Amino acid sequence: MLTQNLGYPRIGSHRELKKACENYWAAKTGHKTVLQVGKNIRQENWLMQKNAGISIIPSNDFSFYDQVLDHSLMFGAIPKRYNEVMLKKGNTELDLYFAMARGYQKEGLDIIAMEMTKWFDTNYHYLVPEFYKNQQFKLFSTKVIDEFYESKQLGIVTKPVLIGPVSYLLLGKEKEAGFEKIDLLKNLLPVYLEVLTQLVNLGVEYVQFDEPFLALDLTEKEKKAFREAYKQIKNAFPRLKIVLATYFDSLGDNIALAASLPVSVLHIDLVRAPQQLNDVLSVLKSDVILSLGLIDGRNIWKNDFEYSLSTINTVVEKIGESRVWIAPSCSLIHSPCDLDNETNEEILTPEIKQWMAFAEQKIAEVVTLKQLANADRGTSAERKLAENIIAQQNRKTSSLIHKSEVKVRINQVTSKDAERLNSFSVRKVKQQNALNLPSYPTTTIGSFPQTAEVRSWRAKFKNGTFSTAEYNKLIADETTKAVKWQEEIGLDVLVHGEFERNDMVEYFGEQLDGFTFSKNGWVQSYGSRCVKPPIIYGDVKRYAPMTLEWTSYAQSLTPKYMKGMLTGPVTILQWSFVRNDQPRSQTCTQIALAIRDEVCDLEKAGIKIIQIDEPAIREGLPLRKAEWENYLNWAVNAFKLSASGIKDETQIHTHMCYSEFNDIIKNIADMDADVITIETSRSQMELLDVFADFEYPNEIGPGVYDIHSPRVPNRLEMIDLLKKAKAVIPSEQLWVNPDCGLKTRGWDETKKALIEMVEAAKIMRNN
């Protein structure tokens, strides 16, 4: 019985990659420094897995920004607008790569970044490949080959990881009409074969093909593409051992398809979809190894060894020990690096920590399960099993987890609690009379730049260097400056800037019972952007108002409207590590009641516009359409529960970003937010088409500039986007705002861009 890992975090245990990349972008270091940091992380990861006892170790799971972007560069799928980047003296392949990810605005060039969207139902973002009719591909970047050679020089023959050819195409977007992206398979496969030829020549034994789309609904044409792709690969390399990796859901009606493909190993996710095991076993070919994804790659709870051993034993009895591998459910890039870095018991108590495992601990769990399943029950393995059983039992009985008052309140919730007093058509008239805003009202999504100075204040406050009074004075001064500046440039609806907040989810979790936190539990969201998800371990309850003090202070500084800024219950759920001992819907309802209390308190304090951000509602959608209705029912209801209980005159906003809304537009309308703001600039307002076709009744703020890129757009660009919006959405429904919050941007670019945005709105009002 062997063990394998599908992928490991690439940010470094202390976010070394983030720091190296950001220093490079700021021209503080050269590209050789960035490359060396990447090499160091790769080698540390390989050696750690080898020393832990992993049999099959991955390579090419490292990325400087995004693995899908890596593949686009490898295949030469580089949009023509980036051609000039390489012509600039001194630019390297790394500069081209980062230009595709972040845009490029220097040396006379002004090039927008590639579109970014969520990786299935995770909070990870990938760069969307751009495809054109009859597009040709060629080997451009040899990263996968170079990294295999690098690991081999280290004495480790790794398993290169590639996104499978069908999934890569399905991840992309057709940028012109008249073809389907899957039709490009015949042009793409020769490059895969060229890459595999070089890898085989270097002595590769296993290659992992990630095909997550096998866990989604597929058309017959897409199924045919899978058969053709793997037939060609097998014919070209009959001795190559292909590991076909599926994850995030069950193979479902694709089980027969997956089982028919000529591969050596089939990996399935038994954390998200344990119910598929028997069906897979019934169709598995006699010469195919089954990789059991038993360790949760997307959450931080310890594996239940007794349960996993029972599963392993069942499979071994049916197909034999030699045809079983043990693995995490998916790549561990969705897990923090190392629980041993959590040494502050005031932040993460020993009682809760004993229930947890981060990526390095999950690697150890994989190996321990193999030892236990192989009856290699030495003192160490037996001790770990005993400790695991005790931890599982402690978690079931801990008084930290269950709160009777929370359960009582949940049981008292009725359907009426999730409804506003009147329909939007009635509320809109009341809000227009109460607020008296101009056409094309301008606002931002909430946060302003969190400079190094602001972050240092928070750090000094937490470590005791600053007193509460000193810290509050600094935050108040920064808030005052932000409010006054917004007034000066003419924004219509202001925000307080969120300088007191570390993260849009963590900030709320810190003030809610049932949440705990890590100090170094960082995971990659996109590029150098890392987040430290809160950990929901028990029943959720609000202690006291969470945002009232700073929102009220900001409102006291201005006669203009100040938005109350909250994170919605579904997003808090999705962007946290969630307890796995009760349905997620129940946890979400608990959070919704806490947010509802906050909304009511803000209204009582005179805040007339309240934004409840739900950027994660689309990403939580199950991969299989048959399961959508159940999820959308409880997710939409949770938002409505949080947003109701207030007067018609109080305007509720919500924000969503980097999502395709076509399939769930009715459900978004059912959320009944008075105003929705969405990301649209990278897609050049394409996302608005679905709102127009549906005749979305409420108000919409399509983002007019991309905040995930440092480039500053001019007002003419924004006017052009607003005209595109006006062509499909009545002007009286339109708001003007950036794509997302401005926390990660610098003040210089933020000020320039928002001034241009306000001027664009003024021009639109006069046209």
Side-chain angles (χ1 to χ4, degrees), residues 4-25:
Q4 73 158 337
N5 183 30
L6 275 65
Y8 199 77
R10 60 262 191 136
I11 59 175
S13 294
H14 300 284
R15 293 183 294 159
E16 296 91 333
L17 185 65
K18 168 188 175 67
K19 297 162 189 174
C21 287
E22 291 180 353
N23 282 336
Y24 180 65
W25 300 334

mmCIF file of all heavy atoms in Angstrom, residues 4-25:
data_model
loop_
_atom_site.group_PDB
_atom_site.id
_atom_site.type_symbol
_atom_site.label_atom_id
_atom_site.label_comp_id
_atom_site.label_asym_id
_atom_site.label_seq_id
_atom_site.Cartn_x
_atom_site.Cartn_y
_atom_site.Cartn_z
ATOM 1 N N GLN A 4 0.216 8.877 -1.392
ATOM 2 C CA GLN A 4 0.544 9.965 -2.318
ATOM 3 C C GLN A 4 -0.028 11.267 -1.778
ATOM 4 O O GLN A 4 -0.960 11.280 -0.968
ATOM 5 C CB GLN A 4 0.004 9.692 -3.715
ATOM 6 C CG GLN A 4 -1.506 9.822 -3.869
ATOM 7 C CD GLN A 4 -1.929 10.063 -5.308
ATOM 8 O OE1 GLN A 4 -1.154 10.548 -6.135
ATOM 9 N NE2 GLN A 4 -3.172 9.745 -5.632
ATOM 10 N N ASN A 5 0.541 12.361 -2.242
ATOM 11 C CA ASN A 5 -0.001 13.686 -1.973
ATOM 12 C C ASN A 5 -0.302 14.337 -3.311
ATOM 13 O O ASN A 5 0.428 14.152 -4.275
ATOM 14 C CB ASN A 5 1.001 14.536 -1.174
ATOM 15 C CG ASN A 5 0.432 15.895 -0.827
ATOM 16 O OD1 ASN A 5 -0.778 16.044 -0.668
ATOM 17 N ND2 ASN A 5 1.294 16.881 -0.711
ATOM 18 N N LEU A 6 -1.401 15.088 -3.387
ATOM 19 C CA LEU A 6 -1.825 15.693 -4.653
ATOM 20 C C LEU A 6 -1.250 17.088 -4.868
ATOM 21 O O LEU A 6 -1.228 17.579 -5.998
ATOM 22 C CB LEU A 6 -3.361 15.754 -4.725
ATOM 23 C CG LEU A 6 -4.069 14.499 -5.238
ATOM 24 C CD1 LEU A 6 -3.860 13.327 -4.298
ATOM 25 C CD2 LEU A 6 -5.563 14.756 -5.403
ATOM 26 N N GLY A 7 -0.828 17.749 -3.796
ATOM 27 C CA GLY A 7 -0.280 19.089 -3.909
ATOM 28 C C GLY A 7 -0.067 19.664 -2.523
ATOM 29 O O GLY A 7 -0.753 19.277 -1.574
ATOM 30 N N TYR A 8 0.893 20.598 -2.404
ATOM 31 C CA TYR A 8 1.253 21.137 -1.088
ATOM 32 C C TYR A 8 1.245 22.666 -1.149
ATOM 33 O O TYR A 8 1.490 23.253 -2.213
ATOM 34 C CB TYR A 8 2.633 20.620 -0.664
ATOM 35 C CG TYR A 8 2.879 20.745 0.818
ATOM 36 C CD1 TYR A 8 2.298 19.828 1.699
ATOM 37 C CD2 TYR A 8 3.646 21.780 1.334
ATOM 38 C CE1 TYR A 8 2.493 19.937 3.069
ATOM 39 C CE2 TYR A 8 3.850 21.904 2.699
ATOM 40 C CZ TYR A 8 3.266 20.985 3.570
ATOM 41 O OH TYR A 8 3.445 21.110 4.929
ATOM 42 N N PRO A 9 0.951 23.347 -0.034
ATOM 43 C CA PRO A 9 0.949 24.815 -0.046
ATOM 44 C C PRO A 9 2.263 25.387 -0.581
ATOM 45 O O PRO A 9 3.346 24.903 -0.236
ATOM 46 C CB PRO A 9 0.763 25.179 1.436
ATOM 47 C CG PRO A 9 0.050 24.011 2.023
ATOM 48 C CD PRO A 9 0.581 22.810 1.292
ATOM 49 N N ARG A 10 2.147 26.406 -1.409
ATOM 50 C CA ARG A 10 3.357 26.960 -2.057
ATOM 51 C C ARG A 10 3.750 28.322 -1.506
ATOM 52 O O ARG A 10 4.678 28.969 -2.009
ATOM 53 C CB ARG A 10 3.167 27.040 -3.565
ATOM 54 C CG ARG A 10 2.029 27.887 -4.086
ATOM 55 C CD ARG A 10 0.814 27.061 -4.422
ATOM 56 N NE ARG A 10 -0.185 27.841 -5.164
ATOM 57 C CZ ARG A 10 -0.836 27.390 -6.214
ATOM 58 N NH1 ARG A 10 -0.598 26.192 -6.685
ATOM 59 N NH2 ARG A 10 -1.731 28.130 -6.812
ATOM 60 N N ILE A 11 3.034 28.792 -0.469
ATOM 61 C CA ILE A 11 3.321 30.147 0.036
ATOM 62 C C ILE A 11 4.499 30.172 0.999
ATOM 63 O O ILE A 11 5.043 31.238 1.283
ATOM 64 C CB ILE A 11 2.084 30.753 0.726
ATOM 65 C CG1 ILE A 11 1.628 29.873 1.892
ATOM 66 C CG2 ILE A 11 0.955 30.949 -0.279
ATOM 67 C CD1 ILE A 11 0.485 30.462 2.703
ATOM 68 N N GLY A 12 4.902 28.995 1.512
ATOM 69 C CA GLY A 12 5.929 28.943 2.541
ATOM 70 C C GLY A 12 5.300 29.024 3.918
ATOM 71 O O GLY A 12 4.268 29.673 4.109
ATOM 72 N N SER A 13 5.915 28.391 4.901
ATOM 73 C CA SER A 13 5.338 28.341 6.245
ATOM 74 C C SER A 13 5.173 29.711 6.869
ATOM 75 O O SER A 13 4.355 29.902 7.769
ATOM 76 C CB SER A 13 6.209 27.461 7.151
ATOM 77 O OG SER A 13 6.175 26.121 6.715
ATOM 78 N N HIS A 14 5.955 30.671 6.403
ATOM 79 C CA HIS A 14 5.869 32.036 6.930
ATOM 80 C C HIS A 14 5.607 33.040 5.807
ATOM 81 O O HIS A 14 6.060 34.178 5.856
ATOM 82 C CB HIS A 14 7.151 32.385 7.691
ATOM 83 C CG HIS A 14 7.420 31.472 8.857
ATOM 84 N ND1 HIS A 14 6.737 31.563 10.049
ATOM 85 C CD2 HIS A 14 8.267 30.410 8.987
ATOM 86 C CE1 HIS A 14 7.161 30.625 10.878
ATOM 87 N NE2 HIS A 14 8.087 29.911 10.255
ATOM 88 N N ARG A 15 4.904 32.593 4.802
ATOM 89 C CA ARG A 15 4.508 33.423 3.657
ATOM 90 C C ARG A 15 5.709 34.046 2.940
ATOM 91 O O ARG A 15 5.677 35.186 2.489
ATOM 92 C CB ARG A 15 3.526 34.518 4.089
ATOM 93 C CG ARG A 15 2.180 33.990 4.534
ATOM 94 C CD ARG A 15 1.236 35.120 4.873
ATOM 95 N NE ARG A 15 1.687 35.854 6.043
ATOM 96 C CZ ARG A 15 1.326 37.084 6.362
ATOM 97 N NH1 ARG A 15 0.480 37.731 5.592
ATOM 98 N NH2 ARG A 15 1.777 37.677 7.442
ATOM 99 N N GLU A 16 6.765 33.260 2.820
ATOM 100 C CA GLU A 16 7.971 33.767 2.166
ATOM 101 C C GLU A 16 7.720 34.175 0.726
ATOM 102 O O GLU A 16 8.292 35.161 0.232
ATOM 103 C CB GLU A 16 9.082 32.702 2.206
ATOM 104 C CG GLU A 16 9.566 32.335 3.600
ATOM 105 C CD GLU A 16 8.826 31.167 4.225
ATOM 106 O OE1 GLU A 16 7.651 30.941 3.858
ATOM 107 O OE2 GLU A 16 9.431 30.477 5.067
ATOM 108 N N LEU A 17 6.862 33.424 0.022
ATOM 109 C CA LEU A 17 6.613 33.729 -1.385
ATOM 110 C C LEU A 17 5.894 35.065 -1.537
ATOM 111 O O LEU A 17 6.210 35.853 -2.433
ATOM 112 C CB LEU A 17 5.798 32.616 -2.035
ATOM 113 C CG LEU A 17 5.591 32.772 -3.541
ATOM 114 C CD1 LEU A 17 6.917 32.671 -4.278
ATOM 115 C CD2 LEU A 17 4.611 31.729 -4.078
ATOM 116 N N LYS A 18 4.922 35.315 -0.677
ATOM 117 C CA LYS A 18 4.188 36.585 -0.711
ATOM 118 C C LYS A 18 5.166 37.760 -0.591
ATOM 119 O O LYS A 18 5.116 38.711 -1.387
ATOM 120 C CB LYS A 18 3.184 36.617 0.440
ATOM 121 C CG LYS A 18 2.553 37.985 0.690
ATOM 122 C CD LYS A 18 1.726 37.979 1.969
ATOM 123 C CE LYS A 18 1.197 39.368 2.289
ATOM 124 N NZ LYS A 18 0.205 39.846 1.307
ATOM 125 N N LYS A 19 6.031 37.674 0.385
ATOM 126 C CA LYS A 19 6.952 38.785 0.638
ATOM 127 C C LYS A 19 7.920 38.971 -0.529
ATOM 128 O O LYS A 19 8.218 40.096 -0.932
ATOM 129 C CB LYS A 19 7.698 38.540 1.950
ATOM 130 C CG LYS A 19 6.748 38.510 3.162
ATOM 131 C CD LYS A 19 7.374 37.842 4.382
ATOM 132 C CE LYS A 19 6.323 37.634 5.473
ATOM 133 N NZ LYS A 19 6.847 36.858 6.615
ATOM 134 N N ALA A 20 8.402 37.853 -1.078
ATOM 135 C CA ALA A 20 9.347 37.947 -2.194
ATOM 136 C C ALA A 20 8.691 38.567 -3.423
ATOM 137 O O ALA A 20 9.273 39.433 -4.085
ATOM 138 C CB ALA A 20 9.898 36.565 -2.527
ATOM 139 N N CYS A 21 7.483 38.121 -3.758
ATOM 140 C CA CYS A 21 6.787 38.653 -4.932
ATOM 141 C C CYS A 21 6.469 40.139 -4.760
ATOM 142 O O CYS A 21 6.671 40.935 -5.682
ATOM 143 C CB CYS A 21 5.509 37.857 -5.198
ATOM 144 S SG CYS A 21 5.786 36.208 -5.864
ATOM 145 N N GLU A 22 5.970 40.508 -3.611
ATOM 146 C CA GLU A 22 5.591 41.903 -3.408
ATOM 147 C C GLU A 22 6.811 42.821 -3.412
ATOM 148 O O GLU A 22 6.737 43.959 -3.883
ATOM 149 C CB GLU A 22 4.779 42.035 -2.121
ATOM 150 C CG GLU A 22 3.403 41.379 -2.254
ATOM 151 C CD GLU A 22 2.547 41.474 -1.006
ATOM 152 O OE1 GLU A 22 3.063 41.937 0.042
ATOM 153 O OE2 GLU A 22 1.362 41.084 -1.075
ATOM 154 N N ASN A 23 7.934 42.337 -2.906
ATOM 155 C CA ASN A 23 9.165 43.126 -2.996
ATOM 156 C C ASN A 23 9.622 43.267 -4.449
ATOM 157 O O ASN A 23 10.127 44.318 -4.853
ATOM 158 C CB ASN A 23 10.275 42.469 -2.166
ATOM 159 C CG ASN A 23 10.116 42.738 -0.680
ATOM 160 O OD1 ASN A 23 9.493 43.724 -0.277
ATOM 161 N ND2 ASN A 23 10.673 41.869 0.149
ATOM 162 N N TYR A 24 9.413 42.221 -5.232
ATOM 163 C CA TYR A 24 9.782 42.289 -6.645
ATOM 164 C C TYR A 24 8.889 43.275 -7.390
ATOM 165 O O TYR A 24 9.371 44.094 -8.181
ATOM 166 C CB TYR A 24 9.684 40.898 -7.274
ATOM 167 C CG TYR A 24 10.056 40.873 -8.740
ATOM 168 C CD1 TYR A 24 11.355 41.173 -9.147
ATOM 169 C CD2 TYR A 24 9.114 40.549 -9.711
ATOM 170 C CE1 TYR A 24 11.707 41.157 -10.492
ATOM 171 C CE2 TYR A 24 9.462 40.525 -11.055
ATOM 172 C CZ TYR A 24 10.754 40.830 -11.434
ATOM 173 O OH TYR A 24 11.096 40.822 -12.763
ATOM 174 N N TRP A 25 7.586 43.214 -7.130
ATOM 175 C CA TRP A 25 6.669 44.149 -7.783
ATOM 176 C C TRP A 25 6.968 45.596 -7.401
ATOM 177 O O TRP A 25 6.750 46.506 -8.182
ATOM 178 C CB TRP A 25 5.219 43.803 -7.429
ATOM 179 C CG TRP A 25 4.813 42.432 -7.861
ATOM 180 C CD1 TRP A 25 5.347 41.697 -8.888
ATOM 181 C CD2 TRP A 25 3.819 41.597 -7.266
ATOM 182 N NE1 TRP A 25 4.739 40.468 -8.980
ATOM 183 C CE2 TRP A 25 3.791 40.371 -8.004
ATOM 184 C CE3 TRP A 25 2.936 41.758 -6.197
ATOM 185 C CZ2 TRP A 25 2.921 39.338 -7.687
ATOM 186 C CZ3 TRP A 25 2.064 40.716 -5.885
ATOM 187 C CH2 TRP A 25 2.061 39.530 -6.619
#
